[in-house]
Coordinates of all heavy atoms in Angstrom, one line a residue:
A490 N 64.9 -17.3 -16.0 CA 64.9 -16.7 -14.7 C 63.9 -15.6 -14.6 O 63.6 -14.9 -15.6 CB 66.3 -16.1 -14.4
I491 N 63.2 -15.5 -13.5 CA 62.3 -14.4 -13.2 C 62.7 -13.7 -12.0 O 63.0 -14.2 -11.0 CB 60.8 -15.0 -13.0 CG1 60.4 -15.7 -14.3 CG2 59.9 -13.8 -12.7 CD1 59.0 -16.3 -14.2
I492 N 62.9 -12.3 -12.2 CA 63.3 -11.5 -11.1 C 62.2 -10.4 -11.0 O 61.5 -10.0 -11.9 CB 64.6 -10.8 -11.4 CG1 64.7 -10.0 -12.7 CG2 65.7 -11.9 -11.4 CD1 65.9 -9.3 -13.0
D493 N 62.0 -9.9 -9.7 CA 61.0 -8.9 -9.5 C 61.4 -7.9 -8.4 O 62.3 -8.2 -7.6 CB 59.6 -9.5 -9.3 CG 59.6 -10.6 -8.3 OD1 60.2 -10.5 -7.2 OD2 59.0 -11.6 -8.7
K494 N 60.8 -6.8 -8.5 CA 61.0 -5.7 -7.6 C 59.7 -4.9 -7.4 O 59.1 -4.6 -8.4 CB 62.1 -4.8 -8.2 CG 62.3 -3.5 -7.4 CD 63.7 -2.8 -7.8 CE 63.6 -2.0 -9.0 NZ 64.9 -1.3 -9.2
T495 N 59.4 -4.6 -6.2 CA 58.2 -3.8 -5.9 C 58.6 -2.6 -5.0 O 59.3 -2.8 -4.0 CB 57.1 -4.7 -5.1 OG1 56.9 -5.8 -5.9 CG2 55.8 -3.9 -5.0
T496 N 58.1 -1.4 -5.4 CA 58.3 -0.2 -4.6 C 56.9 0.3 -4.2 O 55.9 -0.3 -4.6 CB 59.1 0.9 -5.3 OG1 58.3 1.4 -6.4 CG2 60.4 0.3 -5.9
D497 N 56.9 1.4 -3.5 CA 55.6 2.0 -3.1 C 54.8 2.5 -4.3 O 53.6 2.6 -4.3 CB 55.8 3.2 -2.2 CG 56.3 2.7 -0.8 OD1 56.2 1.5 -0.5 OD2 56.9 3.6 -0.1
I498 N 55.6 2.9 -5.4 CA 54.9 3.5 -6.5 C 54.8 2.6 -7.8 O 54.0 2.8 -8.7 CB 55.5 4.8 -7.0 CG1 57.0 4.6 -7.3 CG2 55.3 5.9 -5.9 CD1 57.7 5.7 -8.0
D499 N 55.5 1.5 -7.8 CA 55.5 0.6 -9.0 C 56.0 -0.8 -8.7 O 56.5 -1.0 -7.6 CB 56.2 1.2 -10.2 CG 57.7 1.5 -9.9 OD1 58.2 0.9 -8.9 OD2 58.3 2.3 -10.6
A500 N 55.8 -1.6 -9.7 CA 56.2 -3.0 -9.5 C 56.8 -3.5 -10.9 O 56.2 -3.1 -11.9 CB 55.1 -3.9 -9.1
T501 N 57.8 -4.2 -10.8 CA 58.5 -4.7 -12.1 C 58.8 -6.2 -11.9 O 59.3 -6.6 -10.9 CB 59.8 -4.0 -12.3 OG1 59.6 -2.6 -12.2 CG2 60.4 -4.3 -13.7
S502 N 58.4 -6.9 -13.0 CA 58.8 -8.3 -13.1 C 59.5 -8.5 -14.4 O 59.0 -8.1 -15.4 CB 57.5 -9.2 -13.0 OG 57.5 -9.9 -11.8
I503 N 60.6 -9.2 -14.4 CA 61.3 -9.5 -15.6 C 61.6 -11.0 -15.8 O 62.1 -11.6 -14.9 CB 62.7 -8.7 -15.6 CG1 62.5 -7.2 -15.4 CG2 63.5 -9.0 -16.9 CD1 63.8 -6.4 -15.2
A504 N 61.2 -11.5 -16.9 CA 61.5 -12.9 -17.2 C 62.6 -12.9 -18.3 O 62.5 -12.2 -19.3 CB 60.3 -13.6 -17.8
I505 N 63.7 -13.6 -18.1 CA 64.8 -13.7 -19.0 C 64.8 -15.1 -19.5 O 64.8 -16.1 -18.7 CB 66.1 -13.3 -18.4 CG1 66.0 -11.9 -17.8 CG2 67.3 -13.4 -19.4 CD1 67.1 -11.5 -16.8
F506 N 64.8 -15.3 -20.8 CA 64.8 -16.6 -21.4 C 66.1 -16.8 -22.2 O 66.5 -16.0 -23.0 CB 63.6 -16.7 -22.4 CG 62.3 -16.5 -21.8 CD1 61.7 -15.3 -21.9 CD2 61.7 -17.5 -21.0 CE1 60.5 -15.0 -21.3 CE2 60.5 -17.2 -20.4 CZ 59.9 -16.0 -20.5
F507 N 66.7 -18.0 -22.0 CA 68.0 -18.3 -22.7 C 67.8 -19.4 -23.7 O 66.9 -20.2 -23.6 CB 69.0 -18.8 -21.6 CG 69.3 -17.8 -20.5 CD1 68.6 -17.9 -19.3 CD2 70.2 -16.8 -20.7 CE1 68.9 -17.0 -18.3 CE2 70.4 -15.9 -19.7 CZ 69.8 -16.0 -18.5
E508 N 68.7 -19.4 -24.7 CA 68.7 -20.5 -25.7 C 67.4 -20.6 -26.5 O 66.9 -21.7 -26.7 CB 69.0 -21.8 -25.1 CG 70.5 -21.8 -24.6 CD 70.9 -23.2 -24.0 OE1 70.3 -24.2 -24.5 OE2 71.7 -23.2 -23.2
I509 N 66.8 -19.5 -26.9 CA 65.6 -19.5 -27.7 C 66.1 -19.2 -29.1 O 66.7 -18.1 -29.4 CB 64.6 -18.4 -27.3 CG1 64.1 -18.7 -25.9 CG2 63.5 -18.3 -28.3 CD1 63.1 -17.8 -25.4
V510 N 65.9 -20.1 -30.0 CA 66.4 -20.0 -31.4 C 65.4 -19.7 -32.4 O 65.7 -19.4 -33.6 CB 67.2 -21.3 -31.8 CG1 68.5 -21.4 -30.9 CG2 66.4 -22.5 -31.7
E511 N 64.1 -19.7 -32.1 CA 63.0 -19.5 -33.0 C 63.2 -18.1 -33.7 O 63.6 -17.1 -33.0 CB 61.6 -19.5 -32.4 CG 61.2 -20.9 -32.0 CD 61.7 -21.4 -30.7 OE1 62.5 -20.7 -30.1 OE2 61.3 -22.5 -30.3
N512 N 62.9 -18.0 -35.0 CA 63.1 -16.7 -35.7 C 62.1 -15.6 -35.1 O 62.5 -14.4 -35.1 CB 62.8 -16.9 -37.2 CG 64.0 -17.6 -37.8 OD1 65.1 -17.6 -37.3 ND2 63.7 -18.3 -38.9
D513 N 60.9 -16.0 -34.8 CA 59.9 -15.1 -34.3 C 59.7 -15.1 -32.8 O 58.6 -14.8 -32.3 CB 58.6 -15.3 -35.1 CG 58.1 -16.7 -34.8 OD1 58.8 -17.5 -34.2 OD2 56.9 -17.0 -35.0
A514 N 60.8 -15.4 -32.1 CA 60.7 -15.6 -30.7 C 60.1 -14.4 -29.9 O 59.2 -14.5 -29.1 CB 62.0 -15.9 -30.1
A515 N 60.5 -13.2 -30.3 CA 60.0 -12.0 -29.6 C 58.5 -11.8 -29.8 O 57.7 -11.6 -28.9 CB 60.7 -10.7 -30.1
K516 N 58.0 -12.0 -31.0 CA 56.6 -11.9 -31.3 C 55.8 -13.0 -30.6 O 54.7 -12.7 -30.1 CB 56.4 -12.0 -32.9 CG 56.4 -10.7 -33.6 CD 55.5 -10.8 -34.8 CE 55.1 -9.5 -35.4 NZ 56.1 -8.9 -36.2
Q517 N 56.4 -14.2 -30.5 CA 55.8 -15.3 -29.9 C 55.6 -15.0 -28.3 O 54.6 -15.3 -27.7 CB 56.6 -16.5 -30.1 CG 55.8 -17.8 -30.1 CD 56.7 -19.0 -30.5 OE1 57.6 -18.9 -31.3 NE2 56.5 -20.1 -29.9
L518 N 56.7 -14.4 -27.8 CA 56.7 -14.1 -26.3 C 55.6 -13.0 -26.1 O 54.9 -13.1 -25.1 CB 58.0 -13.5 -25.9 CG 59.1 -14.6 -25.7 CD1 60.5 -13.9 -25.5 CD2 58.8 -15.4 -24.4
L519 N 55.5 -12.0 -27.0 CA 54.4 -11.0 -26.8 C 53.0 -11.6 -26.9 O 52.2 -11.4 -26.1 CB 54.6 -9.9 -27.9 CG 53.5 -8.8 -27.8 CD1 53.7 -8.0 -26.6 CD2 53.6 -7.9 -29.0
D520 N 52.8 -12.5 -27.9 CA 51.5 -13.2 -28.0 C 51.2 -14.0 -26.8 O 50.1 -14.0 -26.3 CB 51.5 -14.1 -29.3 CG 51.5 -13.4 -30.6 OD1 51.2 -12.1 -30.5 OD2 51.8 -13.9 -31.6
D521 N 52.2 -14.7 -26.2 CA 52.0 -15.5 -25.0 C 51.6 -14.6 -23.9 O 50.7 -15.0 -23.1 CB 53.3 -16.3 -24.7 CG 53.6 -17.4 -25.6 OD1 52.7 -17.8 -26.4 OD2 54.7 -18.0 -25.6
A522 N 52.3 -13.5 -23.8 CA 52.0 -12.5 -22.7 C 50.5 -12.0 -22.8 O 49.8 -11.9 -21.9 CB 52.9 -11.4 -22.7
K523 N 50.1 -11.7 -24.1 CA 48.8 -11.2 -24.3 C 47.8 -12.3 -24.0 O 46.7 -12.0 -23.3 CB 48.6 -10.8 -25.8 CG 49.2 -9.5 -26.2 CD 48.8 -9.3 -27.7 CE 49.5 -8.1 -28.3 NZ 49.2 -8.1 -29.7
K524 N 48.0 -13.5 -24.4 CA 47.1 -14.6 -24.1 C 46.9 -14.9 -22.6 O 45.9 -15.3 -22.1 CB 47.6 -15.9 -24.8 CG 47.3 -16.0 -26.3 CD 47.7 -17.3 -26.8 CE 47.9 -17.2 -28.3 NZ 49.1 -17.9 -28.8
S525 N 48.0 -14.7 -21.8 CA 48.0 -15.0 -20.4 C 47.6 -13.8 -19.6 O 47.6 -13.9 -18.3 CB 49.3 -15.5 -20.0 OG 50.3 -14.6 -20.1
A526 N 47.3 -12.7 -20.2 CA 46.9 -11.5 -19.4 C 45.6 -11.8 -18.6 O 44.6 -12.3 -19.2 CB 46.7 -10.3 -20.3
P527 N 45.6 -11.5 -17.3 CA 44.4 -11.7 -16.5 C 43.2 -10.9 -17.0 O 43.4 -9.8 -17.6 CB 44.8 -11.2 -15.1 CG 46.3 -11.2 -15.1 CD 46.7 -11.0 -16.5
E528 N 42.0 -11.4 -16.8 CA 40.8 -10.7 -17.3 C 40.6 -9.3 -16.7 O 39.9 -8.5 -17.3 CB 39.5 -11.5 -17.0 CG 39.4 -12.7 -17.9 CD 38.1 -13.5 -17.6 OE1 37.2 -13.0 -16.9 OE2 38.1 -14.7 -18.0
V529 N 41.2 -9.0 -15.6 CA 41.1 -7.6 -15.0 C 41.9 -6.6 -15.8 O 41.8 -5.4 -15.5 CB 41.5 -7.6 -13.5 CG1 40.5 -8.4 -12.7 CG2 42.9 -8.1 -13.3
L530 N 42.7 -7.0 -16.8 CA 43.4 -6.1 -17.6 C 42.8 -6.0 -19.0 O 42.5 -7.0 -19.6 CB 44.9 -6.6 -17.7 CG 45.7 -6.7 -16.5 CD1 47.1 -7.1 -16.8 CD2 45.7 -5.5 -15.7
K531 N 42.7 -4.7 -19.4 CA 42.2 -4.5 -20.8 C 43.3 -4.0 -21.7 O 44.0 -3.0 -21.3 CB 41.0 -3.5 -20.7 CG 40.4 -3.1 -22.0 CD 39.2 -2.1 -21.8 CE 38.5 -1.7 -23.0 NZ 39.4 -1.0 -24.0
L532 N 43.5 -4.6 -22.8 CA 44.6 -4.1 -23.7 C 44.2 -2.8 -24.3 O 43.1 -2.6 -24.9 CB 44.7 -5.1 -24.9 CG 45.8 -4.8 -25.9 CD1 47.2 -4.8 -25.2 CD2 45.8 -5.9 -27.0
V533 N 45.0 -1.8 -24.1 CA 44.7 -0.4 -24.5 C 45.5 -0.1 -25.9 O 44.9 0.5 -26.8 CB 45.2 0.6 -23.5 CG1 45.0 2.0 -24.0 CG2 44.5 0.4 -22.2
D534 N 46.7 -0.6 -26.0 CA 47.5 -0.3 -27.2 C 48.7 -1.2 -27.3 O 49.1 -1.8 -26.3 CB 48.0 1.2 -27.0 CG 48.6 1.7 -28.2 OD1 48.2 1.3 -29.3 OD2 49.5 2.6 -28.1
T535 N 49.1 -1.4 -28.5 CA 50.4 -2.1 -28.8 C 51.2 -1.2 -29.7 O 50.7 -0.5 -30.5 CB 50.2 -3.5 -29.5 OG1 49.4 -3.3 -30.7 CG2 49.5 -4.4 -28.6
S536 N 52.5 -1.3 -29.5 CA 53.4 -0.5 -30.3 C 54.7 -1.2 -30.5 O 54.9 -2.3 -29.9 CB 53.6 0.9 -29.7 OG 54.1 0.8 -28.4
E537 N 55.6 -0.6 -31.2 CA 56.9 -1.3 -31.5 C 58.0 -0.2 -31.6 O 57.8 0.9 -32.1 CB 56.7 -1.9 -32.9 CG 57.7 -3.0 -33.2 CD 57.4 -3.7 -34.5 OE1 56.3 -3.9 -34.9 OE2 58.4 -4.0 -35.2
T538 N 59.2 -0.5 -31.0 CA 60.3 0.4 -31.2 C 61.4 -0.5 -31.8 O 61.2 -1.6 -32.1 CB 60.8 0.9 -29.8 OG1 61.4 -0.2 -29.1 CG2 59.7 1.5 -29.0
K539 N 62.6 0.1 -32.0 CA 63.7 -0.6 -32.5 C 64.1 -1.8 -31.7 O 64.5 -2.9 -32.2 CB 64.9 0.3 -32.6 CG 65.4 0.6 -34.0 CD 66.7 1.4 -34.1 CE 67.3 1.9 -32.9 NZ 68.0 3.2 -33.0
R540 N 63.9 -1.7 -30.4 CA 64.3 -2.7 -29.5 C 63.2 -3.6 -28.9 O 63.5 -4.6 -28.2 CB 65.1 -2.1 -28.3 CG 66.5 -1.6 -28.7 CD 67.2 -1.0 -27.5 NE 67.8 -2.1 -26.7 CZ 68.5 -1.8 -25.6 NH1 68.5 -0.6 -25.1 NH2 69.0 -2.8 -24.9
A541 N 62.0 -3.1 -29.0 CA 60.9 -3.8 -28.2 C 59.6 -3.8 -28.9 O 59.2 -2.9 -29.7 CB 60.8 -3.1 -26.9
Y542 N 58.8 -4.8 -28.5 CA 57.4 -4.9 -28.7 C 56.8 -4.4 -27.4 O 57.2 -4.9 -26.4 CB 56.9 -6.3 -29.1 CG 57.3 -6.7 -30.4 CD1 58.3 -7.7 -30.5 CD2 56.8 -6.2 -31.6 CE1 58.7 -8.2 -31.8 CE2 57.2 -6.7 -32.9 CZ 58.2 -7.7 -32.9 OH 58.6 -8.1 -34.1
I543 N 55.7 -3.6 -27.5 CA 55.2 -3.0 -26.2 C 53.6 -3.2 -26.3 O 53.0 -2.9 -27.3 CB 55.5 -1.5 -26.1 CG1 57.0 -1.3 -26.1 CG2 54.8 -1.0 -24.8 CD1 57.4 0.2 -26.2
A544 N 53.1 -3.7 -25.2 CA 51.6 -3.8 -25.0 C 51.3 -3.0 -23.7 O 52.0 -3.1 -22.7 CB 51.2 -5.3 -24.9
K545 N 50.2 -2.2 -23.8 CA 49.8 -1.4 -22.7 C 48.4 -1.9 -22.3 O 47.5 -2.0 -23.1 CB 49.8 0.1 -23.2 CG 49.2 1.0 -22.2 CD 49.2 2.4 -22.8 CE 48.6 3.5 -21.9 NZ 48.7 4.8 -22.5
Y546 N 48.3 -2.1 -21.0 CA 47.0 -2.5 -20.4 C 46.6 -1.6 -19.3 O 47.4 -0.9 -18.7 CB 47.2 -3.9 -19.7 CG 47.5 -5.0 -20.7 CD1 48.8 -5.3 -21.1 CD2 46.4 -5.8 -21.2 CE1 49.0 -6.4 -21.9 CE2 46.7 -6.9 -22.1 CZ 48.0 -7.1 -22.4 OH 48.2 -8.2 -23.3
K547 N 45.2 -1.5 -19.2 CA 44.7 -0.7 -18.0 C 44.0 -1.7 -17.1 O 43.1 -2.5 -17.6 CB 43.8 0.4 -18.5 CG 43.3 1.2 -17.3 CD 42.9 2.6 -17.7 CE 42.6 3.4 -16.4 NZ 42.1 4.7 -16.6
G548 N 44.3 -1.7 -15.9 CA 43.6 -2.6 -14.9 C 42.4 -2.1 -14.4 O 42.2 -0.9 -14.4
T549 N 41.5 -3.0 -13.9 CA 40.2 -2.5 -13.3 C 40.5 -1.7 -12.1 O 39.6 -0.9 -11.6 CB 39.3 -3.7 -12.9 OG1 40.1 -4.6 -12.2 CG2 38.8 -4.4 -14.2
D550 N 41.7 -1.8 -11.5 CA 42.1 -1.0 -10.3 C 42.6 0.4 -10.7 O 43.0 1.2 -9.9 CB 43.1 -1.7 -9.5 CG 44.4 -1.9 -10.3 OD1 44.5 -1.6 -11.5 OD2 45.4 -2.4 -9.7
G551 N 42.6 0.7 -12.0 CA 43.0 2.0 -12.5 C 44.5 2.1 -12.8 O 45.0 3.1 -13.3
S552 N 45.2 1.1 -12.5 CA 46.7 1.1 -12.8 C 46.9 0.7 -14.2 O 46.1 0.1 -14.9 CB 47.4 0.0 -11.9 OG 47.3 0.4 -10.5
Y553 N 48.1 1.0 -14.7 CA 48.6 0.6 -16.0 C 49.6 -0.4 -15.9 O 50.5 -0.4 -15.0 CB 49.1 1.9 -16.7 CG 48.1 2.9 -17.1 CD1 47.7 3.9 -16.2 CD2 47.4 2.8 -18.3 CE1 46.7 4.8 -16.6 CE2 46.4 3.7 -18.6 CZ 46.1 4.7 -17.8 OH 45.1 5.6 -18.1
Y554 N 49.5 -1.4 -16.8 CA 50.5 -2.5 -16.9 C 51.1 -2.5 -18.3 O 50.4 -2.5 -19.3 CB 49.8 -3.8 -16.7 CG 49.2 -3.9 -15.3 CD1 48.0 -3.3 -15.0 CD2 49.9 -4.5 -14.2 CE1 47.5 -3.3 -13.7 CE2 49.4 -4.6 -13.0 CZ 48.2 -4.0 -12.7 OH 47.7 -4.1 -11.4
Y555 N 52.4 -2.4 -18.4 CA 53.1 -2.4 -19.6 C 53.9 -3.7 -19.8 O 54.6 -4.1 -18.9 CB 54.1 -1.2 -19.7 CG 53.3 0.1 -19.5 CD1 53.2 0.7 -18.2 CD2 52.8 0.8 -20.6 CE1 52.4 1.8 -18.0 CE2 52.1 2.0 -20.4 CZ 51.9 2.5 -19.1 OH 51.2 3.7 -18.9
V556 N 53.9 -4.3 -21.0 CA 54.6 -5.4 -21.3 C 55.6 -5.0 -22.4 O 55.3 -4.5 -23.4 CB 53.8 -6.6 -21.8 CG1 54.6 -7.8 -22.2 CG2 52.7 -7.0 -20.8

Side-chain angles (χ1 to χ4, degrees):
I491 296 176
I492 57 175
D493 44 50
K494 170 164 81 173
T495 306
T496 69
D497 292 342
I498 56 164
D499 58 19
T501 307
S502 252
I503 303 175
I505 303 166
F506 304 100
F507 302 98
E508 293 184 29
I509 295 182
V510 294
E511 288 84 355
N512 290 334
D513 61 345
K516 267 208 163 83
Q517 213 173 321
L518 284 167
L519 181 68
D520 289 343
D521 289 347
K523 282 185 188 169
K524 281 182 202 141
S525 65
E528 284 181 20
V529 294
L530 299 185
K531 181 180 180 292
L532 183 62
V533 177
D534 191 27
T535 55
S536 57
E537 197 177 323
T538 69
K539 244 184 357 213
R540 289 182 80 185
Y542 291 108
I543 303 169
K545 175 181 176 177
Y546 293 87
K547 184 156 189 186
T549 51
D550 63 353
S552 295
Y553 289 90
Y554 296 80
Y555 302 90
V556 178

